[in-house]
Amino acid sequence: MTNKFRTLDDVDVKGKRVLLRVDLNVPMENGRVTDATRLERVAPTITELADKGGKVILLAHFGRPKGRDPKESLKPVAEALSKVVNKPVGFADDCIGEPAANAVAGLKDGDILCLENTRFHKEEEKNDPAFIAELAKLGDIWVNDAFSAAHRAHASTEGLGHTLPAYAGRTMQAELDALEKALGSPTKPVIAIIGGAKVSTKIDLLENLVNKVDALVIGGGMANTFLHAKGVAVGKSLAEKDLAPTALRIMEKAEAANCAIILPVDATVAYHFAANAPSHAYGLDAIPADGMILDVGPQSVARVHAAIDDAATLVWNGPLGAFEMQPFDRGTVAAAKHAAERTKAKKLISIAGGGDTVAALNQANVAGDFTYVSTAGGAFLEWMEGKPLPGVEVLRVS
């Protein structure tokens, strides 16, 4: 896969100023980083560049500031990052202009510098040519290691790639390799598990996948919309009933593409949307009129396990039920554990991504057992929808 993209294997960084776009958009509370996962993900690229004698200059955004806002400064993140990479990380209180230029000028080979939040400048999100030129003055090459921001054509995520020699960092490279294994040129048969609340947010995704996978498991609130479209009475369950024609169209496309659609055959139903609400499993012909489907039932879990057993590659996005509340996490956790066991037994390549999906896999304690878990939300989804990602396309070997 990565022979289609320029990587760090294609460049000698010694003595070069490396503008490295990373994802430092980490959760913070009272000025402290509460989850360092994203810092840990970018650490190998930062360390490699520094160890090879590059002058490492970090570009990143944080939050959605409207202009300069001290609450969304990257300074405390840079301090947390220095602990993760076990090296000093300098800080410049702007990403362009004199503060940035002076800080970069003082760098020695192997030094690491974090520039202030690129989104303090509105020109960043506009991919403004003059702003790109200001950033480009600070570096000799540009390395993109922020797959999670690759669906945005911003100055630091895409624009610089047209101005400076451009390469994929190791995190980006790992993501592209995983995605190629998932849908680019996967080992067949391929199964996708797509869950979540609403069909409306995943129409493009479903329409792309039916042409790419051999079987498509649909779970979560989305499944209720499909069941309603097939004439199943879903009681008071979350369902986008106005999207019944869309659901039928997707099922027709799947049939034409020889993709099996796997819907629930039973459901766990409760009368209140609350943790530990009394619940019961019902067949689809017996969903109570005043009940809510909050998870797949045991027969559906068995069907999902069987579908996973038949697959060589699994792509997963979205939970099968209201996994954030017990006991309605059972279906998702059971399927996740089964997929993890198959992966550990070397019988399955498993790729998962999306915020809720990562949370669900962590809840099941199996995230580390999957082949690859993407922490990119929107970018992972857009890639699965078959859309080109600007921050990736600019890295292609022409």
Side-chain angles (χ1 to χ4, degrees):
M1 169 62 168
T2 40
N3 60 6
K4 297 177 184 175
F5 299 93
R6 294 180 296 276
T7 72
L8 296 183
D9 297 326
D10 304 315
V11 62
D12 178 7
V13 299
K14 187 168 173 54
K16 290 197 169 71
R17 298 170 304 161
V18 183
L19 285 176
L20 174 60
R21 182 48 161 100
V22 285
D23 182 355
L24 302 181
N25 201 18
V26 291
M28 301 274 290
E29 218 171 89
N30 302 322
R32 296 176 69 83
V33 174
T34 55
D35 181 351
T37 306
R38 285 181 163 170
L39 306 186
E40 288 155 7
R41 282 272 170 115
V42 298
T45 301
I46 294 170
T47 303
E48 179 180 340
L49 290 169
D51 288 349
K52 287 181 173 175
K55 297 170 182 177
V56 186
I57 303 152
L58 305 177
L59 292 169
H61 75 276
F62 184 73
R64 298 175 181 274
K66 299 281 180 275
R68 185 173 277 275
D69 182 346
K71 290 197 294 293
E72 295 189 308
S73 171
L74 278 171
K75 191 168 189 187
V77 184
E79 289 163 7
L81 179 64
S82 71
K83 293 187 179 74
V84 173
V85 297
N86 217 11
K87 293 174 189 283
V89 176
F91 186 75
D93 65 8
D94 205 345
C95 61
I96 57 168
E98 206 171 293
N102 289 344
V104 169
L107 291 177
K108 299 186 192 68
D109 293 1
D111 283 355
I112 305 165
L113 171 70
C114 180
L115 303 183
E116 184 57 283
N117 195 338
T118 56
R119 286 192 186 172
F120 280 180
H121 298 268
K122 62 182 186 298
E123 295 83 0
E124 155 76 345
E125 292 179 78
K126 292 179 179 172
N127 210 359
D128 179 81
F131 183 67
I132 294 167
E134 283 297 306
L135 291 173
K137 281 183 197 170
L138 303 171
D140 303 306
I141 65 170
W142 175 70
V143 175
N144 192 358
D145 212 29
F147 178 81
S148 54
H151 57 314
R152 310 273 188 224
H154 293 172
S156 69
T157 62
E158 192 260 356
L160 280 169
H162 297 289
T163 310
L164 294 173
Y167 304 90
R170 296 305 185 197
T171 310
M172 174 75 81
Q173 184 178 350
E175 191 99 27
L176 296 175
D177 280 339
L179 299 186
E180 180 72 2
K181 279 181 190 153
L183 290 183
S185 51
T187 308
K188 287 182 166 280
V190 186
I191 175 183
I193 297 177
I194 305 298
K198 294 184 172 181
V199 173
S200 52
T201 59
K202 295 191 177 179
I203 293 170
D204 290 351
L205 172 62
L206 296 171
E207 292 196 330
N208 183 46
L209 286 179
V210 294
N211 294 310
K212 295 270 184 99
V213 303
D214 302 291
L216 178 56
V217 174
I218 298 176
M222 293 170 60
N224 302 337
T225 302
F226 279 80
L227 294 173
H228 166 74
K230 291 182 76 172
V232 175
V234 295
K236 290 186 174 174
S237 309
L238 173 69
E240 294 173 290
K241 295 181 176 177
D242 57 322
L243 287 181
T246 304
L248 291 171
R249 184 182 77 227
I250 290 167
M251 287 190 275
E252 282 166 16
K253 282 190 171 183
E255 196 170 348
N258 210 14
C259 165
I261 296 257
I262 299 171
L263 290 168
V265 291
D266 61 346
T268 300
V269 175
Y271 297 92
H272 306 287
F273 186 72
N276 301 311
S279 60
H280 193 272
Y282 291 92
L284 294 183
D285 56 348
I287 305 294
D290 54 349
M292 283 182 286
I293 298 172
L294 293 181
D295 195 10
V296 290
Q299 291 172 25
S300 301
V301 172
R303 282 195 78 190
V304 173
H305 285 187
I308 291 170
D309 289 345
D310 288 342
T313 302
L314 163 67
V315 187
W316 190 333
N317 175 260
L320 298 177
F323 81 98
E324 58 276 53
M325 296 189 299
Q326 290 183 334
F328 310 111
D329 59 343
R330 279 184 189 155
T332 304
V333 167
K337 286 185 169 172
H338 192 73
E341 287 302 320
R342 298 283 295 172
T343 306
K344 282 196 287 188
K346 303 277 191 286
K347 291 176 178 168
L348 185 70
I349 293 166
S350 51
I351 316 287
D356 280 351
T357 315
V358 176
L361 297 186
N362 284 331
Q363 198 163 314
N365 289 318
V366 295
D369 297 326
F370 270 54
T371 308
Y372 190 82
V373 177
S374 171
T375 55
F380 183 80
L381 209 54
E382 286 198 22
W383 171 81
M384 282 182 74
E385 290 168 358
K387 295 174 180 170
L389 307 181
V392 169
E393 294 305 307
V394 75
L395 301 170
R396 282 190 186 276
V397 175
S398 48

